Amino acid sequence: MSAPDGLASYGDEQQERVGFFTDTSVCIGCKACEVACKDWNAIPEDGTTWTGESYDNTSALGANTWRHVAFVEQAEPLRSRLEAPPDEAPAPGREDRGAPSATRPNGDSGTPLRWLMESDVCKHCTHAACLDVCPTGALFRTEFGTVVVQQDVCNGCGYCVPACPFGVLDRRHLAPAPDLPAFAKEDGRVWKCTLCYDRLKGGHEPACAKACPTQSIQFGPLDELREQADARLAKLETEGWEGAQLYGRDPDDGVGGFGAFFLLLDEPEVYGLPPDPVVTTRDLPRMWTNMAVAAGALLVGVAAAFSGRRS
Amino acid sequence: MPGLGTSFGRGGATTFQQDLQNADCIVIMGSNMAENHPVGFQWVMEARERGAKVIHVDPRFTRTSAMATKHVGIRAGSDIAFLGGIVHHILEHDLYFREYVQHYTNAPVIIDERFVDTEDADGLFSGWDPEAGRYDIESWRYEGMEVHGAAGQRGEGFEPRGEQSGHGAAGGGLRHGEPPAEDPELEHPRCVFQILKRHYRRYTPELVADTCGCSVEDFLEVCETLAANSGRERTSAFCYAVGWTQHTTGVQTIRTAAIVQQLLGNIGRPGGGIMALRGHASIQGSTDIPTLYNILPGYLPMPHTLSYPRLESYIAANTAPTGWWGKFESYWVSLMKAYFGEHATAENDWLFDELPRIDSDNSAYFTVRQMLEGNVRGYIIAGENPAVGHANGKAHRLGLAKLEWLVVRDLVEIETAAFWYDGPEVESGELKTEEIATEVFFLPAAAHTEKDGSFTNTQRLLQWHSQAVEPKEDCRSELWFYFHLGRLIKQKLAGSEEERDTLIKALRWEYPTRSAIEEPDAEAVLQEISGREISTGRFLSGYPELEDDGSTSCGCWIYSGCFADGINQTARRKPHWEQASYVAPEWAWAWPANRRLIYNRASADPDGNPWSERKRYVWWDADEGKWTGHDVPDFKEDKAPDYVPPEGAKAEDAIAGDHPFVMQADGRAWLYVAQGLEDGPLPTHYEPQESPFANPLYRQRANPRRQQNEGLAEDPYNPVADEPGAEVYPYVVTTYRLTEHHTAGGMTRSVPYLAELQPEMFCEVHPDLAREAGLEHGGWATIYTSRSAIEARVLVTERIRPLQMKDGRTVHQVGLPYHWGGRGLVTGDSANDLAHMALDPNVHIQEVKAFTCGIRPGRRPRGAELPRFVAELREQAGEAK
Amino acid sequence: MVGLSKLLDSWPALRQLREGDPLGLGKAVQSPRSRSLVPRIDEAERVVPSVCPYCAVGCGQLVYVQDGDVTHIEGDPASPISRGRLCPKGQASKSYVQSPLREYRVKYRRPYATEWEDLPLDDAMEMIAERIVTTRAETWRKRTRGGAPANRTMAIGNLGGATLDNEENYLIKKLMTALGVVQVENQARI
Amino acid sequence: MNENGFRSYYGRPILKEPVWTWEIPTYFFTGGLAGASAVLSSAARVAGNEKLARTALYVGAAADLVSPALLVSDLGRPERFHHMFRVIKVTSPMNLGSWVLLVNGGASTTAALLELAGRLRPVRIAASVVSTLSGPPLATYTGVLIADTAVPVWHEGRHELPWIFGASAAASAGAAASMFVDPREAGPARRLAVAGVLAEGALMAAMERRLGKIGEVYRQGEAGKLSRAAKGLATAGAAVLATRGRKSRRAAVVGGALVCAGELCLRWAVFKAGVQSARDPRYVVESQRRRIERNGTKATTVSGPPRSRARPRL
């Protein structure tokens, strides 16, 4: 797999690259991750609007939400496998009854029902657009291979905001932090998941993974997580889960693989994720060349303007 | 919980959460475990990942259903029909665990010939007294046995019931623990097994489908999955919570599950049992060491006005000749010594004559009625928010306004403390601040981080939490408040000659205090609870050491030993990875005697061998001559499996070696409860107080013994079934909690991080109902009953299905979380304002899980318009009547 | 001059080259603050074992204390029940004990008053004790109307317990029983 | 979840809209003006057109002074503007752009000041050379800056954007200069303006063709209004310059102003188009789904049978 940009610079200070594997097939949608994250990172509460979008009143990742649990209600079966009846012999009292219940999807008879829940987070991309485009070096690759915004450096230029293909980063428009100069009307800096950089430095796992009651959020060395994920996908396959897929596991994807990847039960866009994210800076060399030519053309063009006869 | 208490002997969960991972099938019913016990739910997920079936039976498709391998939607309040159907299926198709049932339950016992079943009396058991509205239980007894409650008291019409019957002390006339008449082959027409068969004969899959609104296929799938995953090699567990208890038939619902689990042989075995999921940190503890009117610590009954004229009769009435309740007197005398020390002596009957007496019901809702009728002057509320959390909040708030003085202790100013200036009745003008005479004291309380103490969690586990920081300013623990209150009162009455002050003067009330605020030492209190030998001050190792001669003192006999060897056993925190097995017995301390899975002698067959290798837990080690295994054996350690009690054996000695339920007089689990329940020896399907349906089985529609507030203007009931006017309140409503909030919200609406996750009161309705009632997703709805009307945002969802009932009738259900009130960071109307105060007769719990309502689009009327609106609908329904 | 060269040394643009981070994506741009970051749980003076105050699962908690204040609460991995995990409520415990709405002073409302007023805690305790003694004296019932023994007052009630400690419930029941207050109830009923 | 074919999470955006406020699109204009003016000035000087050279120099210097002010005021933390120069990042168009602006701004203003003072000729010449060389990058890098984002219409337009911005810069520089110079001296400026307008028109058309469906944002909402205004104003202005502007000073002023206004609108149109395309998940999903159809994806790993086979048999 391609190494995360910038990680090499740490030499022997470099640590094993760590990340998250978020397995939505065991997510109970309790939002412990959201609270654990806010609690540890002292993120401000940001608005009490009821959305009516299932049980999701957080809506999206942003400057004040670094973990977001999505809720999707669908008329789909959760599993589709034909399960063998409880025991081989025809069940007592069942002889004369219709189709064996084993062919039923979960949810009560009639239309199937499933409720997908997914805890979203910054992907800590191997090739991170936000990291590349940051003009100040506020965003940087840590010794753990994660991507972090340094709040003592960020000047709120906002370039990383549209650069992120997942819409993770945003500028904080809330009341100024205590360390702000008097004139500042708002915090103005950009915030996102740090994968609990400080906790990692202390040898603790990130707050969300620590809290997760069902280990839907798993933290660890990325290589191990990828192996676990492959095994998990295989298991779900044998159990006949609908639409199970790993998202961001593959190092060859548009961003070189996620540092925080997912097991989804439906297409990414259903959870509000881009189906084929790419790091736009991968086109940057070509863009620079293109620009150079354009700049040259401008030079020539201006000169040409004088080539005409003098009036 | 008498549902469990009468069936097995102890009113607590039979197992522990971690053991759920060993289940082959878990039925979650009357509980939304994933949402309300998320961290405990990890053990259900462990089981699921090991291939266990997880079945969720619930009116709504919840976050629990989403994790289940099977969800079955049923009509709220139809649980007994569903479970009774399972019993029927098991018996019809001989799917029961015969050897277990024969030896470990009272299935073989022959019942008095005068007993008449509901099947033969149209929904009433024999002994029903229409005037008194209660049962005379004499005809329910075992044949050849007098009902317990010795001579001289029958006439006084009181037997231990409800929580006090947690011990099911019905042993009168048992000869060395054995019932007089039995049929081991279970064929005698009057043996419990055959009675059971007849009782549930009509609970066919079709009846279940018609009554519960589920499909026959789904119902049968549940039956078969359960049966296929029970027996020698496999075990199934039940998890329930207030979805079962908060009904006028709550106790009997749990009883039905107890019957299913007995028939399938799932009690006392790993991966089996009935997991009662309590809602509060110490709700189990608050019944073990009760802040309840009708029991003293350890489920000892409070003396009753109508019975026990003398100490002897009180002791006699509550002492079972056989089983561990045979030592009742030791437990009680030791408690009196803990309460009154040297002042309680054999000569003065341990002050029995001075003790206060209760009537049949002095429960919270009784008190509310008393308040409304002006009979209560003072009320102290500590860590509870009845204005939001209790059924019919309006009645509560009106009651509070009639008090002379009120003390509220909490961390934040909850609705109950603010009722006099900031409540719905003030807004509507029904209450005027200037006219409310109530004097209100709000005292800020200390949080769990600011005090030492122990919680008893849902699996009977006492866990100690240590003080981390000092409480700020006026914040104080309840321990501080009640200790210093008692101290002040004792000071005031020290010189009193009044007879009424005898007890308060005799009260032992010396506890060491520390720190500047003189906080009492919680460990000193725990030591008193655990008990000592008075002469030496030695800490007791457990309740077998208790004596009835006043030589021991113990504040709660079932907790005896929690401070054994002078060590705070509840504070033990040996990491689970350093312990031998997943049972982790060195983490904190569980009652009784640190047993984690109780009745565990039943995990071995009658000869003492494990039923199977796969389900090995506790077994008889013949060489060692004692019981051994992963847990503390819930059995006399050296009592051999073939032990037969000698003639005239008493108490525990009278329990045979193959009878695991050592609290019961006959050592067995009770399929049939001869004594201890108000509303029948067997669970029967009754409709809720309010439902749109008649009882499909009997003319007796609802639980005949349920408690209603006849003639209480503040607690009117909706017309039901086919009564005229019922169409005004056509829908079934059920209330519940969300992961993001806690009960009445006092502990969560005040927390920014939680408030933002579920910021507004909403109602869940199906698209069909939305269409029918003209509700718009995201808009507002007004939900009304004859008590009140509230407003909520509309969440239209497929997750709350309309159900197809008998003859094609469709029933719609409305889902209402009940976390909101008028105060806090996020506010909203309280669902409980809609609920009535009809109660379960055994435990006086209200029926908020199933009642009826009407719903219409738009916000509710404001101010004085609101009561008018509610009254108009009531009249409309009344006129129709 | 020294200052200037120091400044230059710390200039990330130069460190990019010096520290082998030409693209300026890693170590070169790491700020001193980021470099010396320490998690606050490692700075705590005390770690106190506790239990979650919300539901009855009984999750283990670790309470981190610094300068007499709770700085963090998280799950105790040693607990065989919770294995270090917490739900959103348990995870919000610190925000709960430090809630912006939390009250720290006694509030008193006189009969018919429209406002709260302040009251010293000791006075409040004295007044409450007085209320109990008087109410009890005035409403004491030795016997029921039917003549059965009663030894009680029906004019005082006590509610609460499910959220309290066993020791607290023990004192409540003990005191109320001695006072002849029988209307003692808690959420277990509810 | 299934609105006519494309799926989303309650229709919520996948991307975050740019947080940039009015200063940024305005800077795109002033920066372009500054860069192109620097070139125009030097070219004029070489061609011996001193008047035009001086005017363009002053215009460029002025624009160079406005630009940083705009950028700083858009920052969330303006007092930290200098952090832009903490690093030199080739992967960050904004970082390089800041350096270029610093160099070009410094050079142009120095040159302008010395011009005014009429002293230190060699230094002035050196400064002019520097600003001439840094001018074209300054005029075009902003095209790369926005193209290097996840915003569909910007990234998909990456081939044309630098050219469009370059052309627009040329047009505005020419137009601005021709406003302040006697029409008889301003010929090259006018030609530059007209050529710029024509070129940018062609390039915009090319880009919209390449963008295909997502290009529709240039015809919708504010972006639509602005791009129509841009076209109209610029064309009108160019026409005036090309005709009466050659004789009449007043016409030149009007024409020049129209073109400049048009170019400002153009930058705003591009900016708004980006915001609009980020707001609607449809553009993200559909453009990426198309990409997946073209060359597959590695973002998701699915094993086992396709969904169709996995459907339950009821």
Side-chain angles (χ1 to χ4, degrees), chain B residues 97 104 232-233 269-270 600-621 627-628:
Chain B
F97 191 163
Y104 296 169
R232 283 179 174 272
E233 294 291 334
R269 304 179 58 202
N600 55 37
R601 191 270 174 241
S603 66
D605 64 19
D607 305 331
N609 309 313
W611 289 107
S612 66
E613 274 315 297
R614 193 162 175 267
K615 296 294 172 177
R616 168 184 283 271
Y617 193 75
V618 163
W619 58 92
W620 173 252
D621 182 332
W627 293 93
T628 178

Side-chain angles (χ1 to χ4, degrees), chain B residues 17-18 39 42-43 46 163 246 278-282 285-286 290-295 305 338-339 353-357 359 362-364 367 375 377-384 389-390 405 411 413 417 420 433-434 436-440 442 444-445 447-448 450-458 461 463-466 468-469 472-475 478-479 482 492 499-501 503 508 511 522 526 528 555 573 576-577 587 739 741 747 750-751 753 843-846, chain C residues 46 48-59 61 63 65 68-69 76-83 85-89 92 95-97 99-109 111-116 121 125-133 135-140 142 144 148-152 154-180 182-190:
Chain B
Q17 294 170 95
Q18 302 94 295
V39 181
Q42 69 180 275
W43 300 108
E46 292 280 351
E163 278 91 355
Q246 292 177 342
R278 315 294 188 190
H280 295 68
S282 199
S286 62
T291 35
L292 296 175
Y293 79 93
N294 56 339
I295 42 175
T305 48
Y339 270 14
D353 294 339
E354 312 301 326
L355 288 176
R357 291 352 194 212
D359 303 312
N362 299 111
S363 72
T367 306
N375 302 330
R377 295 202 199 167
Y379 206 35
I380 305 173
I381 301 177
E384 195 158 335
H390 289 205
W405 53 273
L411 270 68
E413 191 193 323
W420 52 275
T433 302
E434 314 70 35
I436 298 173
T438 315
E439 180 184 33
V440 186
F442 177 85
H448 72 298
E450 296 155 3
K451 61 187 183 185
D452 289 334
S454 65
F455 292 135
T456 302
N457 83 340
T458 198
L461 188 69
Q463 300 189 102
W464 191 262
H465 60 85
S466 305
V469 296
K472 293 193 167 69
E473 305 188 45
D474 291 351
C475 297
E478 310 312 308
L479 203 65
Y482 284 97
K492 290 179 184 297
E499 193 185 354
R500 64 168 179 268
D501 296 328
L503 280 191
R508 237 177 102 257
Y511 300 99
L526 187 66
E528 180 174 319
R573 282 197 171 226
H576 58 88
W577 55 80
W587 180 270
T739 309
H741 282 296
M747 292 172 75
S750 54
V751 179
Y753 291 157
V843 288
H844 321 293
I845 289 180
Q846 78 290 351
Chain C
R46 276 205 318 292
V48 181
S50 190
V51 179
C52 181
Y54 285 96
C55 82
V57 167
C59 300
Q61 290 188 334
V63 181
V65 182
D69 262 320
D76 181 353
S79 165
I81 302 167
S82 58
R83 297 189 286 186
R85 309 167 193 180
L86 289 175
C87 77
K89 294 187 285 287
S95 317
Y96 162 62
V97 300
S99 163
L101 298 187
R102 190 157 175 197
E103 301 285 348
Y104 294 94
R105 287 265 171 231
V106 174
K107 289 172 148 189
Y108 175 63
R109 187 250 178 183
Y112 309 109
T114 56
E115 299 288 331
W116 286 115
L121 178 58
M125 294 298 290
E126 182 59 38
M127 289 163 79
I128 294 165
E130 192 52 51
R131 301 289 181 280
I132 292 173
V133 169
T135 309
R136 182 169 167 276
E138 290 170 5
T139 59
W140 185 261
K142 175 71 185 155
T144 62
N151 299 331
R152 68 186 183 192
M154 295 301 287
I156 303 175
N158 188 95
L159 182 70
T163 58
L164 310 184
D165 297 338
N166 291 318
E167 297 71 20
E168 296 174 327
N169 284 321
Y170 179 78
L171 288 199
I172 293 175
K173 184 69 179 182
K174 186 177 179 181
L175 177 62
M176 292 302 154
T177 304
L179 285 170
V182 292
Q183 295 173 100
V184 177
E185 282 284 278
N186 79 58
Q187 192 89 26
R189 199 71 81 191
I190 313 307

Side-chain angles (χ1 to χ4, degrees), chain A residues 43 46 58-68 167-172 190-193, chain D residues 16:
Chain A
I43 301 170
D46 63 340
T58 310
S59 297
L61 291 174
N64 309 314
T65 304
W66 304 351
R67 268 278 177 192
H68 163 242
V168 165
L169 301 94
D170 203 357
R171 202 188 264 176
R172 181 172 289 174
V190 163
W191 300 78
K192 76 164 190 75
C193 164
Chain D
K16 288 277 183 296

Side-chain angles (χ1 to χ4, degrees), chain D residues 266-288:
Chain D
L266 176 77
R267 310 304 188 111
W268 272 90
V270 173
F271 177 71
K272 285 291 178 187
V275 173
Q276 284 165 226
S277 79
R279 194 174 290 154
D280 189 342
R282 167 188 309 268
Y283 298 121
V284 178
V285 173
E286 284 179 352
S287 57
Q288 295 190 8

